[in-house]
Amino acid sequence: MPHPQNSHRVINPHYEHRQLIMMVTRACQLDCVYCQFDRTKPPMSLETMRASVDLLMTARPKEVRVQFFGGEPLLRQDLILATMEYADAAAKKAGKTVVYIITTNTMALTDELRAKFDKRGVIWILSFDGDIGTQDSQRPVRAGGTRFISALEQIRRIAASGAPYLVNMTATPAHADHTKRNAMLLLDAGVRAISFGNRMGEDWTDERAVTYFQNLQSLLEEAHRRDLKLFVLNSVGRDEPMIVSPTPTVDCDGTVYVGSVIPPLEKLLPNV
């Protein structure tokens, strides 16, 4: 496949797009209750990943970003590393710099692999929902058992390493009253950057919504009381999941979406 499908081979010059999400693979070790992915598609080919890089290099900004997403992208770390090599060369030729972002559940992450990516200045987006009850009920391991302790330890190490990172927590109505407790677990582990997302495809009652935002307010007050510098993204719910967002996403088969939320919604909205 020489170029991603549905693209015009050039990013619209009227928009300051600087980031492209690559759906490396839809495979994952977890079976999250809120994930609506169709996992039958094969992983992205290296050819498609290179074509995606070529597309990104048509963007006007001098600094561009590649976000490796999934599924669990680190299941195909070979593709990620090969794409980074290609993107570095393409960026040099285009007079640009490229920043890499990896969204991961940390299960495939080792100290050796993390060090390799840290040398490239990778920004980590770490998916983690909270205490062992919340984590294991919302993000169960397909093979059984729990990876709660190892996931929390990887997050702790990244937070202490000085590498740029963000922990992404998905809140659900069932665990709305655990929001502060789950975040405090991360604060005690040294985390200072948390993004809160809401479960897609499920209605929140007014009662659950109020509980959720009361927990967020109490969390911020506690962080202030402890004199902790805490960055909270989406603390007032202004970033609700949308069908269309400004960030282009290339799916495993090369299909281009304007908005990374479309694939996760495909089981709920099969005709989109």
Side-chain angles (χ1 to χ4, degrees), residues 141-155:
V141 180
R142 288 178 179 271
T146 179
R147 293 296 298 271
F148 169 78
I149 294 176
S150 59
L152 185 59
E153 180 58 27
Q154 281 290 353
I155 291 172

Side-chain angles (χ1 to χ4, degrees), residues 61-211:
K62 290 298 184 181
E63 180 187 282
V64 294
R65 296 186 169 205
V66 176
Q67 181 175 353
F68 299 104
F69 197 73
E72 173 47 50
L74 290 182
L75 290 176
R76 294 306 307 265
Q77 56 190 258
D78 57 325
L79 290 175
I80 293 176
L81 290 168
T83 301
M84 286 179 168
E85 293 287 344
Y86 182 83
D88 284 346
K92 183 177 181 180
K93 184 178 179 180
K96 299 180 184 294
T97 58
V98 57
V99 175
Y100 299 107
I101 305 168
I102 298 178
T103 299
T104 177
N105 60 32
T106 76
M107 284 184 64
L109 193 59
T110 63
D111 289 345
E112 180 181 3
L113 182 61
R114 179 165 52 81
K116 188 178 298 186
F117 284 127
D118 282 346
K119 287 181 180 179
R120 292 181 174 272
V122 163
I123 298 173
W124 297 100
I125 299 182
L126 310 168
S127 301
F128 187 82
D129 287 353
D131 62 25
I132 189 168
T134 303
Q135 179 77 358
D136 286 355
S137 63
Q138 294 189 175
R139 303 173 61 81
V141 180
R142 288 178 179 271
T146 179
R147 293 296 298 271
F148 169 78
I149 294 176
S150 59
L152 185 59
E153 180 58 27
Q154 281 290 353
I155 291 172
R156 191 193 312 273
R157 292 179 183 181
I158 290 174
S161 72
Y165 73 94
L166 178 70
V167 177
N168 186 59
M169 299 180 66
T170 298
T172 65
H175 292 96
D177 51 343
H178 296 174
T179 302
K180 178 184 176 181
R181 185 175 72 191
N182 290 335
M184 290 303 301
L185 175 73
L186 291 171
L187 278 179
D188 291 340
V191 170
R192 296 297 180 266
I194 303 175
S195 169
F196 292 90
N198 302 332
R199 178 175 180 174
M200 294 179 292
E202 182 170 350
D203 291 332
W204 286 65
T205 65
D206 289 344
E207 178 186 5
R208 292 283 86 188
V210 168
T211 298

Side-chain angles (χ1 to χ4, degrees), residues 213 216 232-240:
F213 287 113
L216 285 183
V232 176
L233 182 66
N234 194 23
S235 62
V236 293
R238 289 177 179 163
D239 189 26
E240 296 296 332

Side-chain angles (χ1 to χ4, degrees), residues 17-29:
H17 289 304
R18 65 177 65 246
Q19 183 168 326
L20 189 71
I21 297 174
M22 294 188 191
M23 196 78 65
V24 180
T25 177
R26 288 165 173 254
C28 187
Q29 316 97 316

